[in-house]
Amino acid sequence: MRCRDFGRVASFFVPQGKSSPFKTSCTVFEPRNTSQWNPLAFFDIMRINFLRFLLTGTASIAVTATSSSSSNKSIVVRIRLPDGSIERLAVPGDRLDTLTLQDALAPLHQSTKETSILHKKNPADASRTLRDLEIEHGSLLTLLSNNADQLPQSKAGLQKRAPPSIPREKRYDPFPDLAKDYESAKRASARRRNAGSGLSYGDLAHLQSSLHVVEPQPEGPLKRVYMCRYAAERFQSNCVGGKAQEFQNRVGLLLGTTQRERVNTKPKTRTSLSSPLTDSDYCEVAKVHAIWEPPQNSQPGTAYDGKALRKIPSNVLRIAAHLGLKPVGWIFTYSDDRHKDQDALPVWSKDVQHGAQLQAFNMQRTDRAEGARFATLAMDAKVGTTEAFQLSDVAVQIVAEDMLLIQNGKKDVDGGERYVTTSHAILVDGQETTTLDCVLCLVNTALLSHEGSFSGGSAVAAVKKKDGGLTSKTRKAILAYIDGSDDAALLEILSNFAVLLALDEPLGEADSSRLCETVRKWARGQRQGTRIHDGTKQRLHAILNH
C-alpha cells in the first residue's frame, strides 16, 4: 500500500515477480474531488480493495496447487497391438515433456521399426515427446504391422488378413454346432475400429464367442473297445525288424463292428422279484476283428508314416463291407520314452492331428453319428502296452479348421509334443491362450481283449509285411487243404482279413465277393453246410500254383 499526500491517491498493488504466486493486482483509487476528501469513505474503499486482494490471492494459490498436483498425476494411454488386443500403459504426468513415444512403448516390447503408429488416425513420430504428440489421459494409439500383406496407411490402417488355411465354404465340419469363424469375426471387428466407431461390449462378446472353448469331455460315443489279441500281437511284432532288432513305428486301420451291450456286463443273481433286463442301461461298444496295415515308408527310430492312412483303397472297404466290418478306429505305435514323467501322455500333438483327420474322413464317408464312433489306440512298440482313447468333439473340429501349428523338426520326429500352439486363441478355463494341452483332446476309453472273427485264430503272420502278399507257408497250407478237400480247415485259414485282401486282385471282384460271403457265414457260426464253391477252389488252386 502506498499513500501519496494521504488525501489524493491510495492504491494497492501486488508485485509481479516470479517469486510471487499471485497473478493479479487491485485497482487504484483516486478521489475525483480532492478538496472534499472524506476519510471514512477512503477507508471503506481501502477495506473493499483489501478483501478483493485476499479473495483473488487465495484463488490463485488454489489454482496453482491444483495445477501442481495434477501435473504429477499419472495418465493412462491405451495401446492397440497388431493382433487386436488392447494394452494400458501408465505414464507419469511429470514426464510428458521428456518421455518420447518410443521410450514409452518399450515395456510392451514392440519395435517401432516393424510397426506403424497411429494417433487420431494420423501417423505418429515415435521420436517426439508425448506432449508434442498431444497424448493425454485416455488417448488411443494403434500399432500396425509393417508386413508386405498390409494395405498402405492411407487406408485407415486396414490390413489384409491371411485367409484360413481351409476356407469354410470348402472344408468339411465334422461338428457344425462347434464350428467357428474367428477370422471373419476379427476382420469385422477391425473394420469397426478403423471406422472410428470403436468396439462395444457386445462386439467384444461376439469376438470372444468365435473362440473354441476347450474343456475335458467326460465321455464319447463308445463306452468300451474290444481289441483282438491276435491282431494286436501281429501288429506289435511287425514293428520289430532288421538285424539290429530296431523298432519301426507303424499305423493300422481298425476294422470291426459297433453294437449295444449292457453297461454292467457282470451276471447278477436273479430271483422272481428281480427287475426285468429291459430296465438295464445299454451303451455303445466297438469290437475290432482285424487290422489293415498299409504299405509304410517309416524308418526305424522315426515317427510312423501318418500319410499311409490318408487314402484307403476301395478294395479294403469293399472286402470289409462283405465281411460286415467297417472302420472303427486306428492304431499307432511309438518308440520314444513318453512315460518318463509322472504325468506322461501316450498321445501327442501329431497323433491328435492324424486321428482327428481320420475320424473326420470317416464321418464324411458315412454319416456323422456313425463315423464319430472312432477310437484311437496308442501302443508302445517296445513292450506292446496299449491304451485306448477317443478324441473330443472340439478337438476334431479344431483340426478340421487347421488350427494346430505343428512344426517339423527334431522334436517332432516321434509325434510332436504334448503341448501344441494354435493359430489363434482358444478358451481354456475361461482364459484366452494359444497353447493347447493334448490331454484336453482325449476321452478315456476302456480297452478289453477278445478274439476277432477275422484274425486267422493265430498271432503268426499270414502275409508279408512289405507288400501284403501271402507267405509261402500260408500258400502251401491253402493248397494242401484244397487238395485234401478239407473245407473246414480251408475256411478257418481264410478267415483272415489280410489273406482275403491278398487274394482279392488275382481272384477278381466277383469270385472275391463270393468267397468273402462264404467266409462271413462260417465266422458267424453257420458251419453246417457252408462250403466253398468248386469254381472258386479251382481258381485258388490255379493262382497259388502259378
Side-chain angles (χ1 to χ4, degrees), residues 4 34 44 73 99 107 144 184 191 288 299 411 537:
R4 188 174 60 198
T34 56
D44 288 340
K73 187 178 180 180
L99 188 65
L144 301 177
S184 297
R191 286 194 295 267
V288 179
Q299 299 297 324
K411 294 183 179 180
K537 286 184 181 179

Side-chain angles (χ1 to χ4, degrees), residues 336-410:
D336 53 3
D337 192 8
R338 299 190 181 187
H339 298 280
K340 60 181 178 180
D341 299 329
Q342 184 177 2
D343 299 330
L345 192 68
V347 180
W348 283 359
S349 57
K350 280 189 176 181
D351 311 324
V352 171
Q353 185 183 46
H354 292 308
Q357 290 173 346
L358 292 174
Q359 179 175 334
F361 170 74
N362 195 43
M363 296 173 69
Q364 187 177 10
R365 186 182 59 84
T366 56
D367 61 74
R368 287 186 169 90
E370 180 182 353
R373 301 183 182 98
F374 200 82
T376 296
L377 271 61
M379 174 185 285
D380 190 340
K382 299 177 180 179
V383 295
T385 305
T386 308
E387 298 178 70
F389 302 93
Q390 295 174 80
L391 296 179
S392 64
D393 299 346
V394 67
V396 177
Q397 183 61 37
I398 284 177
V399 173
E401 297 177 13
D402 199 18
M403 285 182 55
L404 300 187
L405 303 179
I406 300 178
Q407 303 294 331
N408 293 321
K410 294 182 179 181

Side-chain angles (χ1 to χ4, degrees), residues 394-466:
V394 67
V396 177
Q397 183 61 37
I398 284 177
V399 173
E401 297 177 13
D402 199 18
M403 285 182 55
L404 300 187
L405 303 179
I406 300 178
Q407 303 294 331
N408 293 321
K410 294 182 179 181
K411 294 183 179 180
D412 299 323
V413 295
D414 214 356
E417 293 182 336
R418 173 173 173 173
Y419 299 92
V420 60
T421 304
T422 57
S423 58
H424 59 75
I426 57 177
L427 290 177
V428 179
D429 293 334
Q431 297 182 354
E432 295 185 13
T433 180
T434 56
T435 301
L436 175 61
D437 188 352
C438 289
V439 73
L440 298 176
C441 302
L442 304 179
V443 180
N444 290 326
T445 307
L447 181 63
L448 303 176
S449 175
H450 82 126
E451 293 183 8
S453 300
F454 304 101
S455 61
S458 172
V460 179
V463 296
K464 300 176 182 178
K465 181 173 66 174
K466 292 183 178 181

Side-chain angles (χ1 to χ4, degrees), residues 121 125 219 378 519:
K121 299 184 180 180
D125 187 0
E219 58 184 12
V519 172

Side-chain angles (χ1 to χ4, degrees), residues 465-486:
K465 181 173 66 174
K466 292 183 178 181
D467 56 3
L470 295 177
T471 61
S472 59
K473 183 178 180 180
T474 304
R475 184 187 298 269
K476 292 178 181 178
I478 295 176
L479 288 174
Y481 295 144
I482 294 176
D483 294 336
S485 299
D486 190 351

Side-chain angles (χ1 to χ4, degrees), residues 30-268:
E30 184 176 357
R32 296 182 180 178
N33 191 354
T34 56
S35 60
Q36 299 180 356
W37 175 67
N38 189 350
L40 295 178
F42 171 74
F43 284 108
D44 288 340
I45 293 173
M46 289 178 60
R47 186 166 57 253
I48 292 173
N49 286 337
F50 184 70
L51 291 175
R52 290 174 60 189
F53 164 74
L54 291 179
L55 292 175
T56 306
T58 305
S60 300
I61 294 174
V63 171
T64 305
T66 303
S67 302
S68 177
S69 62
S70 63
S71 62
N72 295 327
K73 187 178 180 180
S74 297
I75 66 172
V76 177
V77 181
R78 297 172 298 164
I79 312 295
R80 179 181 290 122
L81 301 180
D83 60 358
S85 60
I86 299 292
E87 296 287 345
R88 287 169 174 81
L89 190 65
V91 179
D94 56 354
R95 297 193 61 190
L96 296 179
D97 295 322
T98 59
L99 188 65
T100 62
L101 181 57
Q102 182 176 0
D103 296 336
L105 297 177
L108 301 178
H109 305 287
Q110 296 291 329
S111 174
T112 56
K113 296 181 180 179
E114 300 177 357
T115 57
S116 301
I117 307 174
L118 297 181
H119 179 225
K120 297 179 180 180
K121 299 184 180 180
N122 296 320
D125 187 0
S127 61
R128 299 179 61 185
T129 63
L130 301 183
R131 181 80 69 185
D132 294 339
L133 296 174
E134 299 181 356
I135 296 177
E136 53 191 10
H137 182 68
S139 295
L140 177 63
L141 301 178
T142 302
L143 304 185
L144 301 177
S145 178
N146 292 333
N147 291 332
D149 59 343
Q150 188 177 19
L151 289 176
Q153 296 181 2
S154 59
K155 297 294 184 180
L158 287 176
Q159 301 183 25
K160 287 183 179 178
R161 301 294 182 184
S165 300
I166 304 178
R168 186 169 187 178
E169 60 274 8
K170 295 183 179 181
R171 79 183 186 215
Y172 171 76
D173 289 326
F175 298 95
D177 296 339
L178 300 177
K180 304 291 184 180
D181 195 355
Y182 176 75
E183 295 297 333
S184 297
K186 190 175 180 181
R187 287 195 295 269
S189 301
R191 286 194 295 267
R192 291 183 61 86
R193 288 196 302 264
N194 293 323
S197 58
L199 293 178
S200 63
Y201 286 106
D203 296 330
L204 295 177
H206 175 69
L207 184 62
Q208 192 176 49
S209 66
S210 62
L211 303 178
H212 284 285
V213 180
V214 182
E215 55 188 3
Q217 183 172 319
E219 58 184 12
L222 299 175
K223 186 71 174 179
R224 291 184 283 267
V225 176
Y226 292 88
M227 181 62 192
C228 175
R229 62 185 184 93
Y230 295 130
E233 290 179 18
R234 283 200 303 266
F235 184 74
Q236 193 268 338
S237 63
N238 287 340
C239 296
V240 183
K243 297 181 180 179
Q245 296 295 303
E246 297 176 314
F247 295 98
Q248 177 192 17
N249 293 313
R250 299 177 64 83
V251 293
L253 184 68
L254 304 180
L255 299 173
T257 59
T258 57
Q259 60 191 56
R260 290 173 58 84
E261 68 177 22
R262 293 184 179 91
V263 175
N264 189 3
T265 57
K266 295 181 180 180
K268 294 183 178 180

